[in-house]
Each structure stands twice: as C-alpha cells, then as structure tokens.
Amino acid sequence: HIDKSMRYIHDVLGFAIMPIQYAGGVKADPHGWNGADQSAYLPFTGWLSFGEGGVDDAEDPDVILHELAHGLHDWLTNGDFSQVEGLSEGCGDYWAASNNRSSGFWSPSDPQYHWVFQWDGHNPFWSGRRTDYAVPYPGGLVGNIHTDGQIWSSTLMQIYQDIGRTATDANLLECLAMTNSITSQEDAAQAFLQADINLHGGVHLSAIEYRFSQRGYNISLPAPVITHQPLKDVKDLFGPYPVTATVTAAAPLTAVKLIYGHGGVFSDTLEMVPGGDEYSAAIPGIGTPAIYQYYIYAEDAGSLASTLPDGAPVQFFSFTTGPDQTPPQIVHTPISIANWYNLPVLLNADVRDNYAVERVWAEYQINGIAQPFFELSHQQGDLYSGYFPFDSSVV
Ligand SMILES: [Zn+2]
C-alpha cells in the first residue's frame, strides 16, 4: 500500500515527494511497538511504525495510508507540519478514505462507506473514525486532534464527491506544501483554494468554496486571474491589434474588458469576447505612428474584480506603432574549441527586439572563404538555434 500510494503520487499526481530523513523509498516497521495497539509516523527517523495490539495495524490499509500521510505532510513542509486542530490527523484520515472510496468497494448505503480504519477499528477493540462527521467549524472543535481532524477529513470527502479523487488529492498535497507548523484547518482551507488555482486554473473553486463555507471555514475567494502576453511594437499603423487574455475566476465572469487609448489617455473600452477561457478584442489603429496603452479588467458574479497589470490604470501595457528605430540585440557565447569536434555543430543565440523578430540567420567563413548562410529557428523565449550545414568531410 505504501508503494502503491507513492507511485500514484509520483506517476499520476506528479508530485516528486520523498522522505527527507534518508535517501530512497519510505521505510516501515510492521512490528514496531512490541505488541502494543498503536501506530505512528516517527518524524525524527521518517519511519512508519505499526503495532499489533487488537487487530494488527499493518493489516489495515487505512492505518498504513493514514501514517503515510503524516509522512507526506512532514516531507511537504520540510519538517514543519501542523497538528493545530488536528490538521495532520484529518489529512491522514482523508488519505485513507480517498483510497477506499476510489476502490468502489462500498456503496453509499453501506455504513462502511464513511468509515476510516475499516479493519483495525469499528470492532470490539476500537471504534475507529468516520468521514461523515457532521459537526461545524469552529464550534464543533473539542480539543482532541483525532476527533477534530474528522471535521477536515469529512469536508475533504465532500469535496472529493464533487470534484473527484485526483483533483482533491493533488490539491491537498499542493495545499500542504504551502503550510507550516501553525497552520489551522481554516488556513489550510484557504491554501486549498490557492492550490486549485495553481494546479487546475481554479476550475473547481466554486465547488470547493461551497463545501468549506457550509462547514463554517471563513475563507475568501481569490479575484479573477488574468494572464496575457503583452503586445510588441509593430510597424503596421492601421491595425487592428488583437489582444488575447486567459481569464479564470471562482464565480462566472460578468465582465472582461479591454481599456485602451493612445497619447497618454485611456479613451475607449471594448468588451472582450470569450472563446473558452480565452478572451479577445482588437484595438483599432489610428493610421499614424503612436504609443498605445491598455489594460485588462475582469469581474465575476461575486463582485471580485482584478486588472492586469495589477496596479491599473496607473500601471499599464504599451506598444508603439511606426518604423522600427532600434536594432535587435543578439547575445551569443562563442562555440568552444572542444565542441567543434562534435558534428554537427549547434549554434545558439538569444535574439530580442521590441518588435517581433522575423528572421535570424548566420553567415560564416571556412579558412577565410564565405559560405552560404543558414537559418536559426526559434526555440523558446529568445532562443534561436541552427546547425552548421557541413559534415566531417570538410574538416
Ligand atoms: Zn495520526
């Protein structure tokens, strides 16, 4: 179960989490407590340790995954994990319950559907725990980390039902990486929302916010997130100059606008037209050389608004139309002697310009004799590269 969960975390969820106390895979001792009925994750050694009182704990995947989750919490926070309000206990119970629920073994009408520690608990030895714990936050906190953790785990299982296992699991790991040793359940709920923005562009925010708010966590939804590649200077005086932006928000967007003008004044506003998450509008040209300025405004149904750039209208994007007065800048590190023995030889250069770069090529000589030029193609960012078009026969 440890191996399966770690593989799932690495291969499916894409988190490269490993123990921080030693190199290599997670270490565990199935006979760790001289027969006592307890289990633990040991933060000093990074081991999982399982006892054998009552039911043998290492026979129950829920115990194994619960203790593993303490380890994940510890490793994600670099040894700074929180038990405030039983946060880590809740994460452990959730990690076990999520795995259980995903198996489809129990149906919602079975009492076991909501049980954690299905083999070790819910029997004469121990009553176990649950993920349908219905008490509110913070009024239902009783000051016992294992009892209180069920508020967190039960809320996460509601979210699991709404947005699915992998999104909830991934959001939890991303969330925990943003926390420290004093993080409360409410702080973690806020980080969980941020995690959904980081990993999923915020597509689950309204579902998550609903469950957290219903429970009583006082959280605030983030304002719409706008991303946009600023326009470059252009020779074309007439346009139109298309502006596209990706906008995501917790609530449905009610307005996405492009505010623009030229000569230092914001004179016009265009509604940006949606196509999926991408919004677009085009600034018309005035036919003479000018400096245009613009920013983007988005507002959602929760009346949360944001601009790009952040401090608009004081901050804004601008671009110039008219003849290009500034030559491109080329940065190139000469090829070392050693690399000339490794054919074909790759030529790299960083090329940047205030206008779009149209074409990059290299001219060269062999023994003082000019050779035909060759093209460098655009790779990413400012990088252009191409191979010298000769082989070992000329060297
Ligand atoms: Zn625990």
Side-chain angles (χ1 to χ4, degrees):
H1 292 288
I2 293 170
D3 182 67
K4 186 177 160 204
S5 193
M6 290 301 285
R7 284 180 196 278
Y8 164 71
I9 290 164
H10 282 246
D11 299 342
V12 178
L13 301 182
F15 286 81
I17 307 170
M18 291 298 278
I20 57 176
Q21 294 88 346
Y22 46 82
V26 180
K27 296 181 178 177
D29 181 353
H31 313 288
W33 293 95
N34 292 321
D37 188 9
Q38 70 178 87
S39 288
Y41 163 74
L42 306 171
F44 291 111
T45 61
W47 280 63
L48 313 185
S49 182
F50 303 98
E52 297 148 289
V55 175
D56 290 4
D57 283 7
E59 290 178 356
D60 185 346
D62 287 7
V63 182
I64 296 169
L65 294 176
H66 174 99
E67 301 305 343
L68 175 62
H70 282 307
L72 298 171
H73 193 176
D74 191 30
W75 304 327
L76 280 165
T77 56
N78 201 22
D80 220 10
F81 74 101
S82 168
Q83 274 292 20
V84 176
E85 298 167 351
L87 178 66
S88 202
E89 299 308 331
C91 292
D93 285 7
Y94 168 78
W95 202 250
S98 165
N99 176 66
N100 257 329
R101 188 69 56 87
S102 74
S103 74
F105 189 76
W106 304 110
S107 62
S109 57
D110 298 318
Q112 294 92 336
Y113 190 70
H114 299 290
W115 289 2
V116 191
F117 310 114
Q118 309 200 352
W119 181 244
D120 184 41
H122 303 274
N123 59 36
F125 298 113
W126 180 43
S127 55
R129 292 198 289 272
R130 322 182 56 93
T131 57
D132 58 350
Y133 192 59
V135 312
Y137 180 95
L141 293 169
V142 296
N144 174 301
I145 56 173
H146 293 105
T147 307
D148 292 341
Q150 293 174 111
I151 300 177
W152 178 243
S153 61
S154 298
T155 314
L156 291 182
M157 283 311 292
Q158 291 176 309
I159 292 168
Y160 172 117
Q161 286 303 116
D162 295 338
I163 73 171
R165 182 194 186 196
T166 53
T168 314
D169 287 355
N171 280 357
L172 178 61
L173 299 179
E174 178 82 2
C175 152
L176 292 179
M178 289 183 258
T179 65
N180 60 28
S181 62
I182 58 168
T183 300
S184 66
Q185 291 189 19
E186 190 163 86
D187 298 333
Q190 189 67 51
F192 194 96
L193 288 167
Q194 184 60 46
D196 197 68
I197 294 171
N198 296 357
L199 297 180
H200 304 106
V203 294
H204 310 111
L205 281 178
S206 53
I208 295 165
E209 191 267 347
Y210 175 76
R211 293 297 185 184
F212 280 146
S213 297
Q214 287 287 103
R215 184 66 66 163
Y217 296 111
N218 183 17
I219 46 165
S220 53
L221 275 177
V225 177
I226 308 169
T227 52
H228 163 65
Q229 187 69 40
L231 297 192
K232 294 198 138 199
D233 298 344
V234 284
K235 283 181 232 171
D236 173 18
L237 299 177
F238 296 93
Y241 312 109
V243 176
T244 60
T246 303
V247 188
T248 55
L253 286 160
T254 50
V256 180
K257 293 176 180 175
L258 173 66
I259 296 96
Y260 72 95
H262 55 86
V265 181
F266 288 110
S267 52
D268 291 280
T269 299
L270 290 169
E271 297 289 338
M272 297 185 78
V273 179
D277 281 344
E278 192 157 280
Y279 288 74
S280 53
I283 298 173
I286 57 170
T288 52
I291 299 172
Y292 293 79
Q293 58 189 50
Y294 68 96
Y295 66 91
I296 298 163
Y297 172 90
E299 184 176 335
D300 71 14
S303 292
L304 291 167
S306 55
T307 62
L308 192 77
D310 265 346
V314 175
Q315 307 291 323
F316 52 81
F317 298 116
S318 70
F319 62 95
T320 301
T321 61
D324 189 354
Q325 313 276 10
T326 320
Q329 288 176 293
I330 305 170
V331 179
H332 166 69
T333 306
I335 296 164
S336 70
I337 298 291
N339 281 326
W340 287 106
Y341 293 95
N342 201 1
L343 297 172
V345 176
L346 183 66
L347 178 63
N348 284 323
D350 276 336
V351 183
R352 62 185 66 182
D353 194 73
N354 54 326
Y355 288 60
V357 174
E358 268 174 32
R359 199 176 156 205
V360 180
W361 69 90
E363 296 171 0
Y364 67 106
Q365 301 176 348
I366 298 178
N367 295 333
I369 298 164
Q371 306 291 320
F373 68 84
F374 65 96
E375 299 279 341
L376 305 190
S377 57
H378 183 229
Q379 304 301 317
Q380 57 187 2
D382 297 325
L383 177 64
Y384 289 76
S385 58
Y387 288 100
F388 280 90
F390 57 73
D391 59 29
S392 54
S393 65
V394 303
V395 179

